[in-house]
Amino acid sequence: MNKPVDISVKGQPVSAVLKSISEQGKFYFSYNSNLISGDSLVTVNAARQPVRQVLDQLFSNKFQYKEKGDYLIILPAAREKSFHISGLILDDETGKPVDYASVYSRQLLVSTLSQDDGGFRLRIRERSFPIYLTVSKVGYGDTTMVISNTDEAARTMRIQPKAVDLDPLIVRYSEGESTWLGRLFLSQRLRAQSRNIGRFFVALPYQASLTPGLGTHGRMSGQVVNKFSLNVAGGYTAGVNGVEIAGGFNISKENVRYVQLAGAFNVVSGHVNGVQIAGFSNNVLDSLKGVQVSGFSGMVRKHVEGVQISGFLSRAGDGIAGAQISGTINLARNGGHGAQITGGYNQVRGVFEGVQIAGAANNARDSIRATQISGGLNMASNIRGVQLAPFNYAKIMRGVQIGIVNIADSSSGASIGLFNFVRKSTSNISVYATDIAPLNVAWKMGTHRFYSLLMAGMGLNGDKKVRTYGAGFGREFFPFKKAGFFVEILNQNLYLGDWEKMPSLYRLQIAATYKLGKHFMLFGGPSYTIYDHDGVETGKGYQQFPPSGYPKIDLGSNKTSSWIGWQAGVSWRYGKL
């Protein structure tokens, strides 16, 4: 039917004309002689036109045709309201056929695409004339034809090439079809038509479809914004201004408002304003304002204002104002404010204010004014807030770190933990004597504003042995260039011959300090100790507590005692002053 033929006859029998066409096309005609009088004389002029158009011209669209093998069967025209418009799309400058050009009616919402040879065939449901058909293709200007009656149902259209600048609107609303899900579930012909007529959209009350392109709007479904859309397997629409429900998936070229539900996934090229729920994945290529719930992943390319909830991954590409909740990973770029809560890993870039709670790790790549709580690791570049985890790291710390190991490049806050490392700090190692043990070593970690310490001590006298170890925290004050003082609070355990019964003591130490140079400092001063022995007997050869010769303070209990003691020693500063 699409083979081109050349016919130029005047007053020739129909049978001769059909024989000439069949010889050129290398096929055979089959028809009832009662239907066509072979002796009828006809006049036909056609230069390189498809067989279909020549036959329509020859028989004035009175018949229909069916191809079967090498035969073209001529049948009586179907008695129905619908009819077909066929034609050929040619490039006006080169005369070559134009393939994948969209031919559609804005009023009837029917469409088709031209074939490789430029031919097209469009079924019209109602014989309601005039019918306006538009031909569109990227790189060509739109051309409109008017069909006034069935005699004009065979047309050859020439369209003019036109340079097209794809503005941001067209690019954005074509991205949904370009995702891997769009390429997987939308045919090449649907995607081509979407590109050709990307500027035409219409709003209608409802749609029902089985698959994309197979529904009440046919191949024009991608140009229609619906108030209600019901898709059995999947649907492809211009957008939603109401409710859209799919057993499988929804793909929308523009915006979605209010509610979108899918058993598998939703893909939206525009904004989502409302509720979006999918059993597997939601992918919004613009922004979200509302709630997004995904069984596996929720992706928003731009800003999120609301809540993202997913079983595995939630991602906001341009900041968040609200909450991200996921089973494994939350990602947010360009900061924002709100909360990130996950069982695995949170990451945010840009300035973020709020809270990060993770089972494994939190990571704030830039500035954060928030609380980080993690079961494993907290990381921040610049934090004003609290880090609470077994392991904490901050490049610049302007808050509080609480954990087992705390690390910071610089700190103007406090690190509370067993090990605290501040690279640009005044940490030191002290060797000193006290009224408890004559030889003690303490590792002081942090800054002079707040530091933690680990200590151990022992007695050298064989008749008064003692072993002690403990931890505490303190602060240094330097009102003068070389002289100052520190205050420390410690909790120490005493080994007095029995590891299972070890009394405790609580100690307040105040000492004056004097800098001998850049790395050494002398200190000494009084202390106040509360001793809690709870009836523990001191082993033979071990030091008795409270020690004799020191001022005692009665606490009114036979299990506790206290006294005023002393400490003195030297510190080696290994950090930066």
Side-chain angles (χ1 to χ4, degrees):
M1 293 295 292
N2 293 321
K3 291 182 177 180
V5 294
D6 291 310
I7 297 291
S8 181
V9 296
K10 184 177 182 180
Q12 294 294 322
V14 169
S15 59
V17 175
L18 294 178
K19 182 179 180 181
S20 176
I21 293 173
S22 66
E23 289 175 350
Q24 292 185 54
K26 292 182 172 53
F27 61 85
Y28 304 97
F29 281 106
S30 175
Y31 57 89
N32 190 326
S33 58
N34 294 326
L35 185 66
I36 298 175
S37 176
D39 296 333
S40 298
L41 301 180
V42 295
T43 298
V44 178
N45 289 295
R48 303 300 295 169
Q49 290 191 10
V51 170
R52 178 186 288 109
Q53 286 188 240
V54 175
L55 293 178
D56 288 341
Q57 181 182 348
L58 181 63
F59 298 120
S60 300
N61 298 303
K62 295 179 180 179
F63 306 114
Q64 60 177 329
Y65 314 102
K66 182 178 180 181
E67 296 181 19
K68 188 170 184 180
D70 292 335
Y71 288 88
L72 184 60
I73 304 171
I74 302 176
L75 300 170
R79 296 183 178 181
E80 57 182 18
K81 293 182 178 181
S82 66
F83 70 102
H84 290 85
I85 298 175
S86 59
L88 187 66
I89 309 298
L90 301 176
D91 187 301
D92 190 54
E93 293 184 358
T94 65
K96 293 182 178 180
V98 178
D99 61 352
Y100 282 88
S102 294
V103 182
Y104 64 98
S105 168
R106 295 173 181 262
Q107 292 77 24
L108 302 177
L109 288 180
V110 293
S111 66
T112 188
L113 287 173
S114 61
Q115 305 295 325
D116 293 341
D117 60 0
F120 71 89
R121 183 175 173 83
L122 180 64
R123 181 176 179 270
I124 303 298
R125 292 187 293 269
E126 298 289 338
R127 295 172 181 256
S128 177
F129 298 100
I131 298 171
Y132 296 89
L133 294 183
T134 302
V135 180
S136 297
K137 182 178 169 94
V138 174
Y140 290 86
D142 288 357
T143 303
T144 299
M145 67 176 86
V146 181
I147 308 298
S148 301
N149 52 63
T150 56
D151 294 335
E152 299 178 1
R155 302 291 294 269
T156 297
M157 295 292 298
R158 294 180 174 270
I159 57 178
Q160 290 279 350
K162 179 182 178 181
V164 177
D165 293 327
L166 297 178
D167 58 37
L169 180 68
I170 295 177
V171 172
R172 187 185 74 183
Y173 293 147
S174 68
E175 288 178 345
E177 299 114 32
S178 300
T179 63
W180 71 273
L181 289 171
R183 293 193 300 271
L184 180 63
F185 289 96
L186 298 180
S187 68
Q188 184 181 2
R189 296 177 69 83
L190 275 176
R191 299 199 305 271
Q193 180 157 282
S194 177
R195 291 191 296 270
N196 290 338
I197 55 179
R199 290 181 179 274
F200 169 64
F201 298 102
V202 64
L204 289 177
Y206 67 89
Q207 167 190 269
S209 69
L210 180 61
T211 62
L214 185 59
T216 53
H217 301 328
R219 291 184 178 139
M220 293 294 285
S221 62
Q223 312 309 124
V224 181
V225 178
N226 303 283
K227 291 185 180 297
F228 178 77
S229 178
L230 178 63
N231 307 305
V232 178
Y236 177 49
T237 66
V240 181
N241 192 19
V243 178
E244 183 172 47
I245 303 172
F249 63 88
N250 297 306
I251 299 177
S252 300
K253 292 170 59 178
E254 287 196 303
N255 303 326
V256 169
R257 295 180 63 190
Y258 305 124
V259 179
Q260 187 179 55
L261 309 175
F265 67 86
N266 295 305
V267 176
V268 178
S269 295
H271 309 274
V272 172
N273 189 344
V275 178
Q276 187 182 51
I277 302 174
F280 180 75
S281 172
N282 288 304
N283 192 355
V284 180
L285 303 184
D286 205 285
S287 58
L288 167 73
K289 184 176 183 181
V291 178
Q292 184 186 68
V293 182
S294 313
F296 181 77
S297 66
M299 313 284 283
V300 178
R301 183 170 294 183
K302 293 187 178 179
H303 189 70
V304 171
E305 185 177 345
V307 180
Q308 276 186 300
I309 303 173
S310 69
F312 180 77
L313 168 67
S314 294
R315 182 180 183 275
D318 192 23
I320 182 171
Q324 283 184 314
I325 303 171
S326 74
T328 306
I329 300 173
N330 288 318
L331 303 174
R333 294 176 63 91
N334 293 335
H337 59 273
Q340 285 186 313
I341 303 171
T342 181
Y345 174 72
N346 287 317
Q347 177 176 296
V348 64
R349 291 188 175 185
V351 178
F352 181 76
E353 297 182 357
V355 60
Q356 286 184 311
I357 302 174
N362 292 308
N363 187 3
R365 302 289 296 272
D366 296 303
S367 179
I368 179 171
R369 298 179 180 178
T371 298
Q372 290 183 313
I373 302 173
S374 170
L377 171 66
N378 288 319
M379 295 178 289
S381 179
N382 186 343
I383 182 170
R384 294 176 182 268
V386 178
Q387 287 185 315
L388 176 60
F391 300 91
N392 296 303
Y393 169 77
K395 189 173 183 180
I396 301 174
M397 165 55 64
R398 293 185 174 94
V400 178
Q401 290 177 313
I402 303 173
I404 298 173
V405 178
N406 299 307
I407 302 173
D409 285 356
S410 64
S411 175
S412 59
S415 297
I416 303 173
L418 192 60
F419 298 97
N420 303 294
F421 303 99
V422 180
R423 189 170 66 86
K424 299 176 182 178
S425 71
T426 56
S427 300
N428 59 66
I429 295 175
S430 299
V431 179
Y432 60 101
T434 71
D435 53 293
I436 305 297
L439 178 60
N440 298 273
V441 178
W443 183 15
K444 301 180 181 182
M445 301 164 286
T447 67
H448 72 274
R449 295 184 183 88
F450 184 90
Y451 59 86
S452 63
L453 65 90
L454 298 175
M455 63 79 58
M458 62 182 296
L460 300 178
N461 193 326
D463 295 331
K464 296 182 179 181
K465 294 183 293 185
V466 64
R467 304 288 186 271
T468 181
Y469 59 89
F473 58 89
R475 174 167 179 156
E476 292 181 333
F477 300 87
F478 285 100
F480 306 104
K481 185 176 181 180
K482 287 184 173 292
F485 65 96
F486 66 72
V487 178
E488 295 175 347
I489 297 176
L490 293 86
N491 171 229
Q492 295 178 223
N493 291 320
L494 298 175
Y495 173 71
L496 301 177
D498 189 345
W499 287 106
E500 294 183 358
K501 297 180 180 180
M502 299 179 63
S504 299
L505 59 83
Y506 306 93
R507 188 174 175 90
L508 171 65
Q509 299 183 159
I510 302 174
T513 60
Y514 182 78
K515 295 179 181 178
L516 296 176
K518 184 176 182 180
H519 295 290
F520 291 94
M521 181 177 69
L522 294 176
F523 66 89
S527 66
Y528 174 66
T529 302
I530 297 176
Y531 177 59
D532 182 8
H533 57 84
D534 195 21
V536 175
E537 297 291 335
T538 302
K540 184 178 180 181
Y542 285 88
Q543 172 72 39
Q544 294 289 332
F545 289 97
S548 60
Y550 294 95
K552 307 295 189 299
I553 299 176
D554 187 8
L555 298 178
S557 173
N558 59 359
K559 294 183 179 180
T560 59
S561 57
S562 67
W563 66 91
I564 296 175
W566 58 276
Q567 79 280 334
V570 60
S571 291
W572 171 57
R573 293 184 177 274
Y574 62 87
K576 181 179 179 181
L577 290 176

